[in-house]
Amino acid sequence: MRSKPQSALNTKLILICAFFLLFLLLVIITSSTFSKQQPSSSPISEETHISNSTTDPIQDPKPSESKPEPCPFTPLTPTCTKAPPSLANALVHYATTNITPQQTFKEISVSARVLEKKSPCNFLVFGLGHDSLMWTALNYGGRTVFMEEDKAWIEQIKQKLPTLESYHVEYDTKVHQADDLMETGMKEECKVVSDPRFSKCQLALKGFPSDIYDIEWDLIMVDAPTGFHDEAPGRMNAIYTAGLMARNREEGETDVFVHDVDRVVEDKFSKAFLCEGYLREQQGRLRHFTIPSHRARSGRPFCP
């Protein structure tokens, strides 16, 4: 009767030993397989490490093998640049008024194109009006000066636009004297190029502040004085003086603009003293002349 339990015990022992041996065999096989794979994977890893850390000056890496460059850091807060004061004032002024400049958009565009190329520059304007702040803004960083005949108007504008630089100028002519002044302008003393203060020509304006004569003006706009009736001062002297200033600069050239050339005085005097040979463009009632220095080249005729 005892032989049966002994047999069962032996069977159990055999099974335990068999499972142990099977487990041991699996461990040995797994270890052997891992040891065989390790040498083959190690060189690849080492080669990859070397190729990433060493730059080959002859052979560039393939695009697929190269890693993308990290994106540069961009600040979240952009830099803030203030609008120039002259531009800011012009925007506020024209946005809050129903009064617009007398020149048309196309006429203004002629002068604006020149200012775009030359500004900041020296810009002399005969006349103080609703477009004055615009000219100052377009010549940001430069000097824009306005010559006005009406003292009361200057004070009125200064109250509204105190940053504008303007001076009072007196005219002793009348529109009905234009024909006589044209004959005067044809005399030899009016063809001599000099500082207007020392000119012997009756048409030269001599009452400006000395600073106005000392500056070489890059642009001159003649849009004043009043000239629409016979007793008005007319623009005869202003046109002649603008041309004389342009010719008297040491070198370079001056762009001169005359508005209201649909009127007789502005038409005849601009052609005679700014010269048709220097005419560059006419848009509407505005003419654009480019007058070179006559001091830079001696013997240059008054008109080409």
Side-chain angles (χ1 to χ4, degrees):
M1 296 294 296
R2 289 186 177 209
S3 63
K4 230 174 183 183
Q6 183 70 29
S7 176
L9 181 62
N10 291 337
T11 304
K12 184 183 291 186
L13 184 61
I14 293 170
L15 289 174
I16 292 173
C17 291
F19 280 117
F20 177 76
L21 291 173
L22 181 61
F23 174 76
L24 184 62
L25 181 63
L26 288 173
V27 170
I28 293 171
I29 293 172
T30 304
S31 300
S32 176
T33 304
F34 179 77
S35 62
K36 288 181 180 180
Q37 291 178 349
Q38 188 70 16
S40 62
S41 60
S42 179
I44 295 175
S45 176
E46 184 179 357
E47 182 181 353
T48 305
H49 174 72
I50 293 173
S51 64
N52 288 339
S53 61
T54 307
T55 303
D56 188 352
I58 298 176
Q59 184 175 4
D60 295 328
K62 296 181 181 179
S64 60
E65 295 176 353
S66 60
K67 294 183 179 180
E69 293 292 332
C71 295
F73 175 74
T74 303
L76 298 177
T77 305
T79 57
C80 180
T81 304
K82 290 184 178 181
S86 60
L87 178 58
N89 292 337
L91 288 172
V92 172
H93 174 74
Y94 291 114
T96 56
T97 181
N98 294 324
I99 302 173
T100 56
Q102 293 181 336
Q103 294 187 27
T104 66
F105 175 79
K106 290 183 177 180
E107 292 168 351
I108 291 172
S109 298
V110 175
S111 310
R113 284 195 299 269
V114 178
L115 277 170
E116 185 178 4
K117 295 178 182 179
K118 289 194 169 184
S119 64
C121 62
N122 295 318
F123 187 12
L124 179 64
V125 183
F126 286 85
L128 181 66
H130 300 296
D131 55 359
S132 298
L133 190 59
M134 175 189 67
W135 296 128
T136 302
L138 291 174
N139 189 30
Y140 171 68
R143 185 181 181 185
T144 307
V145 179
F146 303 92
M147 310 303 295
E148 173 58 38
E149 64 192 281
D150 189 343
K151 278 186 176 182
W153 178 245
I154 292 176
E155 294 303 319
Q156 185 177 339
I157 292 295
K158 278 186 175 181
Q159 291 178 3
K160 296 180 180 179
L161 306 169
T163 59
L164 296 182
E165 183 180 0
S166 58
Y167 300 97
H168 178 247
V169 56
E170 295 181 352
Y171 299 92
D172 57 3
T173 57
K174 304 293 183 184
V175 170
H176 64 77
Q177 299 172 332
D179 291 340
D180 293 336
L181 290 172
M182 178 63 76
E183 291 183 9
T184 300
M186 295 297 107
K187 294 179 180 179
E188 195 61 32
E189 61 264 26
C190 292
K191 304 295 183 181
V192 177
V193 175
S194 65
D195 188 318
R197 289 173 291 187
F198 314 122
S199 174
K200 295 181 180 180
C201 182
Q202 184 182 344
L203 285 169
L205 292 169
K206 300 177 173 64
F208 297 163
S210 59
D211 186 32
I212 302 301
Y213 298 104
D214 294 335
I215 294 176
E216 290 190 349
W217 299 99
D218 302 297
L219 280 80
I220 301 177
M221 173 77 71
V222 181
D223 203 3
T226 308
F228 61 87
H229 59 88
D230 284 347
E231 294 302 317
R235 299 178 185 174
M236 299 81 68
N237 300 66
I239 292 172
Y240 175 83
T241 303
L244 191 58
M245 285 179 164
R247 292 178 176 89
N248 192 53
R249 64 182 299 156
E250 288 190 8
E251 58 183 6
E253 59 186 22
T254 302
D255 291 279
V256 182
F257 306 89
V258 179
H259 195 227
D260 297 317
V261 294
D262 56 322
R263 300 192 303 219
V264 175
V265 168
E266 285 80 356
D267 176 42
K268 290 184 176 181
F269 275 72
S270 65
K271 288 179 179 178
F273 300 111
L274 303 181
C275 305
E276 293 184 74
Y278 293 142
L279 179 62
R280 293 292 173 264
E281 182 180 0
Q282 178 169 340
Q283 182 63 250
R285 298 176 297 154
L286 185 82
R287 280 184 189 150
H288 172 207
F289 300 84
T290 302
I291 302 177
S293 166
H294 281 219
R295 293 173 58 187
R297 196 183 82 183
S298 60
R300 190 192 294 269
F302 190 82
C303 282

